């Protein structure tokens, strides 16, 4: 396969300008020549657009050149499904994408990230990434692409103060749990969108006792989560399987009693036998 042949360029230990060019070429091939034209991306794009439009965009002012014959109701109807007709101010934080310099799955995940930035009109400077396994060359590549590399292992404990899309494909449960804990308030969770492992799937695969003991914030948030699954795809089964987009509607969060939010203790995982993240220090 052409992608794998080009991908061999990543194995060169000499991080040269030529390698950077070849890396760009490989990513371009992934998302422009394959992902972008795939049925998988077509469905993903519409799933993400619907989710973002539902809670995190506002209609743009009608263009002055719009025909007066076009009614306001028609304009709003069009805007419901078209991100280009609506305004979004999302940041994007990406955790755990892996070593895209030698992993085909990670390169596809990075390619999807580029497509999300493009579709949601998020400037690359508003895209922050971290993986404790990033090589120095991978960090340089991401910076050269105009994105920001987080320098410290936050363990997912990043507070937000504006609408933020977290892109966390196939991350460990503790990373999702930490993120929820750090933003454990109706104000912050309502501004959060999370693309990652299906919370429904986590619930189905995890014994209730373990989920409540080790990943209590995932357990707590399940009842107020809106989840939309990414499509099944034989071609990308190992890359995006069990992936969903999750949102936490403000009205459902506000319906919870005050005690639900008070006294949120930081997760420690002292009894967890299969912690799936690399902890700081």
């Amino acid at each position: 396969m052409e992608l794998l042949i080009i991908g061999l360029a990543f194995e060169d230990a000499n991080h040269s300008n030529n390698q950077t060019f070849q890396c760009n070429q490989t990513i371009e091939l992934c998302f422009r020549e394959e992902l972008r034209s795939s049925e998988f991306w077509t469905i993903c794009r519409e799933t993400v657009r619907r989710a973002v439009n539902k809670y995190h965009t506002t209609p743009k002012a009608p263009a002055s050149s719009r025909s007066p014959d076009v009614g306001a109701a028609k304009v709003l109807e069009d805007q419901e499904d078209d991100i280009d007709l609506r305004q979004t101010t999302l940041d994007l934080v990406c955790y755990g994408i892996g070593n895209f310099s030698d992993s085909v799955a990670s390169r596809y995940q990075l390619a999807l990230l580029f497509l999300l930035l493009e579709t949601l009109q998020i400037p690359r400077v508003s895209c922050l990434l971290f993986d404790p396994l990033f090589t120095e060359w991978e960090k340089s590549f991401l910076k050269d692409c105009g994105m920001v590399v987080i320098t410290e292992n936050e363990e997912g404990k990043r507070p937000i103060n504006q609408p933020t899309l977290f892109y966390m494909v196939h991350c460990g449960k503790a990373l999702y749990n930490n993120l929820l804990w750090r933003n454990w308030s109706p104000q912050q969770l309502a501004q959060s969108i999370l693309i990652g492992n299906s919370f429904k799937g986590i619930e189905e695969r995890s014994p209730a006792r373990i989920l409540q003991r080790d990943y209590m914030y995932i357990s707590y948030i399940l009842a107020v989560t809106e989840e939309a699954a990414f499509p099944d795809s034989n071609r990308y089964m190992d890359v995006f399987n069990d992936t969903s987009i999750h949102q936490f509607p403000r009205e459902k969060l506000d319906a919870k009693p005050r005690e639900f939010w008070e006294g949120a203790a930081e997760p420690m995982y002292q009894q967890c036998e299969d912690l799936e993240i690399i902890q700081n220090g």
Side-chain angles (χ1 to χ4, degrees):
M1 180 180 176
E2 187 177 3
L3 172 63
L4 295 178
I5 295 172
I6 296 180
L8 293 176
F10 291 102
E11 297 178 3
D12 184 1
N14 296 318
H15 299 156
S16 62
N17 291 333
N18 183 56
Q19 187 188 33
T20 300
F21 173 76
Q22 289 173 317
C23 182
N24 274 297
Q25 291 294 98
T26 303
I27 299 299
E28 293 289 317
L29 178 64
C30 283
F31 81 81
R32 286 190 176 175
E33 303 300 328
E34 185 174 339
L35 262 183
R36 187 193 296 276
S37 61
S38 69
E39 182 181 6
F40 171 80
W41 166 244
T42 299
I43 299 172
C44 280
R45 182 183 60 209
E46 295 312 310
T47 300
V48 170
R49 278 178 164 174
R50 283 195 299 270
V52 172
N53 278 346
K54 189 171 184 179
Y55 297 114
H56 299 282
T57 61
T58 55
K60 289 182 179 178
S64 58
S65 59
R66 188 181 299 278
S67 169
D69 295 332
V70 178
K74 173 60 176 172
V75 172
L76 290 175
E77 179 183 344
D78 291 343
Q79 290 179 343
E80 286 298 320
D81 296 318
D82 192 346
I83 196 75
D84 294 330
L85 298 178
R86 300 176 68 86
Q87 293 175 325
T88 177
T89 55
L90 290 173
D91 286 341
L92 192 151
V93 177
C94 172
Y95 289 130
I97 203 167
N99 292 119
F100 54 87
S101 60
D102 60 14
S103 166
V104 173
S106 293
R107 288 200 285 277
Y108 277 121
Q109 290 172 12
L110 182 59
L112 186 66
L113 171 63
F114 283 131
L115 282 174
L116 289 171
L117 293 172
E118 176 184 305
T119 298
L120 300 176
Q121 302 173 12
I122 302 173
R124 290 190 179 184
V125 71
S126 297
C127 177
L128 289 73
L129 304 94
F130 181 80
D131 193 302
L133 301 180
F134 277 158
T135 65
E136 290 302 315
W137 182 84
E138 288 167 335
K139 294 176 186 178
S140 296
F141 171 78
L142 295 171
K143 292 175 184 178
D144 289 344
C145 288
M147 297 180 283
V148 178
V149 177
I150 299 170
T151 58
E152 179 183 354
N153 183 0
E154 304 171 332
E155 300 178 6
K157 301 171 184 176
R158 169 171 284 265
I160 63 168
N161 55 23
Q162 73 169 50
T164 302
L165 170 61
F166 288 93
Y167 183 68
M168 304 168 62
V169 178
H170 294 170
C171 287
K173 293 187 288 292
L175 210 61
Y176 303 124
N177 196 57
N178 287 349
L179 177 65
L180 293 171
W181 165 76
R182 192 62 184 85
N183 294 282
W184 196 248
S185 73
Q187 295 81 5
Q188 290 171 293
L189 288 176
Q191 296 187 91
S192 305
I193 308 173
L194 194 157
I195 294 177
N197 290 2
S198 165
F199 281 12
K200 292 178 182 177
I202 291 174
E203 181 184 26
E204 292 169 358
R205 293 188 297 270
S206 304
R209 177 181 60 86
I210 300 298
L211 191 63
Q212 292 168 8
R213 185 194 70 190
D214 295 336
Y215 310 108
M216 59 187 296
Y217 296 102
I218 296 177
S219 177
Y220 289 164
I221 207 65
L222 284 168
V224 294
T225 301
E226 287 190 3
E227 176 175 331
F230 277 19
D232 293 329
S233 169
N234 291 333
R235 176 69 186 90
Y236 307 112
M237 179 60 67
D238 294 335
V239 184
F240 299 111
N241 63 301
D242 194 43
T243 298
S244 292
I245 183 168
H246 307 78
Q247 296 193 99
F248 315 102
R250 182 62 186 263
E251 63 271 17
K252 293 184 179 181
L253 300 171
D254 284 341
K256 287 292 184 181
R258 186 175 60 182
E259 310 85 72
F260 183 79
W261 306 106
E262 292 178 340
E266 182 174 359
M268 300 305 294
Y269 309 108
Q270 293 176 340
Q271 301 181 67
C272 185
E273 297 178 354
D274 61 343
L275 194 62
E276 300 165 316
I277 65 171
I278 297 175
Q279 293 180 293
N280 192 12

